Amino acid sequence: MSLRVLSWLNPIRWLRSLRRSLTPASVTLLLIGIISLNIVWGYPWLGMFAACFACLVVGRAVNYFASPRLKAFVQSARAVPVGCDLAVPTRLVNQRRLPAMDLIFEQTHHCRYVGSLGEVAITPTLRFSRRGKHALPAILVDSYFPFYLFRERQWVASDASIVVTPKRLFREQDSDWLELELTLKGLASQAAQGDQIHYIGSREYREGVPVRRWDFSSWARLGKPILREFSTPAAKSVRVVIDCVRPQSASPDSDVESSGRLSRWLQKCKPTSKEEAAKETGSDTDFEHALSLAAAAVETLVQSGAAVVLEVRSMGDANDRPQLYRCEAGSDPVELLVVLGNAQAEYIDDQSYQNRQPRTEGPTRQRDQATVVIEPGQAVKVAVGAGEY
């Protein structure tokens, strides 16, 4: 407690805070106060100097104690692809008894007045460059009351987080996706057909059943409402397999750990290609591209009317069984995209990776189920049947 009091009374801290809070208006007032000393002629203008000094002291004190205490409430999407803009509606509630005035949020949105327990709504735009789960950044709030003499800056953080999913692929930019998209649409159309609808019998009327299922002839013959029953089509699913196991040579940290301090410094100084730059930032380009293919495949299959079963392979699977995630046809595939966004590569030595055998899931796979296997650094495999792939 004593250390906190001494830190609060530190004059250097106050001077640094004063320097950061200066605005063009306060700097102009400070220059006028210095000129009012009239050093050249030796006759200071005490009235002007006292007015400037009082405005600076009172203005800084009012600006410090009148700054608001805000709490952020965020309503954002659960996931967003890498490199895409996301508008995040945010409500900021003033929790102080005193009102707040002359506020600027994120240096763009100006607010004249926010009352006690009042709120202001803003919509900042975010863009993430790396995949994974990220906390939403804090919102910058500047308080310029009174008269824009000083600026009290604060960062309002929220507890919200978002999952950044793999980068979206476009046919014009990615040749692998251009070849795979047509195949996936064909698989989706076959899976969406399912079994044909057949008449299986009649039963008594139930409340809420559509009119088109009423059997009027049986109703007239029996004297009570009768309904026709049909078998619903059984939609087939397409399995998308993503392998998260990678050889140690593909790890982006392998080159950095093996090199010395001087070689790492020289490597940072020389120009590098996109692939080398991606490795320096800690990303596996082949693995990220495979995840992007899997995400695009899931979205295409679901939108085309096919159910999708996502299989994520890793070394730590319990009982040697991979993790399975299902998404029905026509529904929102955000759950599967979140899984791909949180996927992490597992690196093993090269010899173990070469001797690793692909695993099959015979009991949980249908015989006529289509399977799309995506392995980083290799061509995408598409197969139909319960055999090995």
Side-chain angles (χ1 to χ4, degrees), residues 275-289:
E275 290 77 8
E276 294 175 352
K279 286 188 176 182
E280 289 181 2
T281 57
S283 60
D284 189 345
T285 54
D286 291 337
F287 182 67
E288 296 297 330
H289 184 256

Side-chain angles (χ1 to χ4, degrees), residues 77-82 131-133 162-169 240 242 290-303 308-310 312 325-327 331-344:
R78 186 178 178 184
V80 61
V82 171
R131 181 184 55 82
K133 186 176 182 179
I162 192 171
V163 177
V164 182
T165 58
K167 183 179 179 180
R168 286 180 174 174
L169 298 180
V240 178
I242 179 69
L291 291 177
S292 297
L293 286 175
V298 168
E299 291 183 331
T300 301
L301 290 171
V302 171
Q303 294 174 2
V308 178
V309 176
L310 178 63
V312 181
Y325 307 89
R326 184 179 177 87
C327 179
S331 59
D332 190 1
V334 64
E335 296 289 343
L336 274 59
L337 297 179
V338 167
V339 172
L340 294 175
N342 292 326
Q344 298 294 333

Side-chain angles (χ1 to χ4, degrees), residues 142 195 205 267 354:
D142 293 327
D195 299 332
Y205 171 76
Q267 187 176 6
Q354 294 178 0

Side-chain angles (χ1 to χ4, degrees), residues 48-370:
M48 185 178 295
F49 175 77
C52 293
F53 182 78
C55 288
L56 290 175
V57 173
V58 175
R60 176 55 183 157
V62 172
N63 179 257
Y64 179 79
F65 290 104
S67 60
R69 184 169 67 247
L70 301 173
K71 185 175 182 179
F73 297 92
V74 179
Q75 296 178 353
S76 65
R78 186 178 178 184
V80 61
V82 171
C84 293
D85 294 335
L86 174 66
V88 183
T90 305
R91 293 188 304 110
L92 296 170
V93 180
N94 183 20
Q95 296 185 329
R96 296 195 63 174
R97 295 183 178 180
L98 297 176
M101 293 174 281
D102 295 333
L103 302 177
I104 296 181
F105 302 94
E106 294 292 334
Q107 301 181 351
T108 56
H109 183 78
H110 187 268
C111 182
R112 292 286 184 183
Y113 178 85
V114 180
S116 177
L117 298 180
E119 65 179 41
V120 58
I122 63 174
T123 309
T125 302
L126 305 178
R127 176 182 295 182
F128 298 91
S129 58
R130 294 184 64 86
R131 181 184 55 82
K133 186 176 182 179
H134 299 272
L136 293 181
I139 298 175
L140 175 63
V141 182
D142 293 327
S143 175
Y144 288 92
F145 180 79
F147 308 120
Y148 289 84
L149 286 177
F150 293 93
R151 176 188 64 191
E152 183 67 23
R153 171 166 291 185
Q154 60 178 304
W155 297 87
V156 182
S158 63
D159 298 333
S161 61
I162 192 171
V163 177
V164 182
T165 58
K167 183 179 179 180
R168 286 180 174 174
L169 298 180
F170 300 95
R171 289 176 293 178
E172 298 79 7
Q173 301 175 357
D174 194 286
S175 58
D176 295 337
W177 174 240
L178 177 62
E179 298 176 358
L180 181 61
E181 184 180 15
L182 296 177
T183 304
L184 293 178
K185 288 184 177 181
L187 293 177
S189 62
Q190 296 177 5
Q193 292 177 1
D195 299 332
Q196 299 298 324
I197 298 179
H198 297 285
Y199 172 75
I200 58 177
S202 300
R203 59 177 302 172
E204 294 185 2
Y205 171 76
R206 291 177 302 173
E207 184 178 357
V209 178
V211 180
R212 65 177 181 272
R213 291 180 53 185
W214 291 2
D215 191 352
F216 294 99
S217 59
S218 300
W219 188 351
R221 185 174 63 255
L222 300 177
K224 57 182 180 179
I226 300 298
L227 301 176
R228 291 190 299 265
E229 292 291 335
F230 298 91
S231 62
T232 57
K236 303 177 183 177
S237 61
V238 179
R239 176 169 295 204
V240 178
V241 182
I242 179 69
D243 194 356
C244 295
V245 181
R246 300 283 288 141
Q248 189 63 38
S249 58
S251 173
D253 300 330
S254 59
D255 298 335
V256 177
E257 294 177 356
S258 60
S259 60
R261 183 177 301 175
L262 180 60
S263 61
R264 281 181 287 177
W265 180 81
L266 294 175
Q267 187 176 6
K268 291 182 179 180
C269 294
K270 68 178 182 179
T272 58
S273 61
K274 292 183 179 180
E275 290 77 8
E276 294 175 352
K279 286 188 176 182
E280 289 181 2
T281 57
S283 60
D284 189 345
T285 54
D286 291 337
F287 182 67
E288 296 297 330
H289 184 256
L291 291 177
S292 297
L293 286 175
V298 168
E299 291 183 331
T300 301
L301 290 171
V302 171
Q303 294 174 2
S304 300
V308 178
V309 176
L310 178 63
E311 176 182 330
V312 181
R313 295 180 179 177
S314 61
M315 294 299 298
D317 296 336
N319 299 325
D320 202 32
R321 298 174 65 89
Q323 304 174 11
L324 302 178
Y325 307 89
R326 184 179 177 87
C327 179
E328 299 299 332
S331 59
D332 190 1
V334 64
E335 296 289 343
L336 274 59
L337 297 179
V338 167
V339 172
L340 294 175
N342 292 326
Q344 298 294 333
E346 299 181 2
Y347 297 96
I348 60 177
D349 59 277
D350 297 354
Q351 186 64 31
S352 300
Y353 181 79
Q354 294 178 0
N355 297 334
R356 180 169 172 263
Q357 298 294 333
R359 288 173 289 185
T360 60
E361 288 294 315
T364 61
R365 293 179 54 197
Q366 302 175 3
R367 293 184 177 181
D368 56 349
Q369 183 183 45

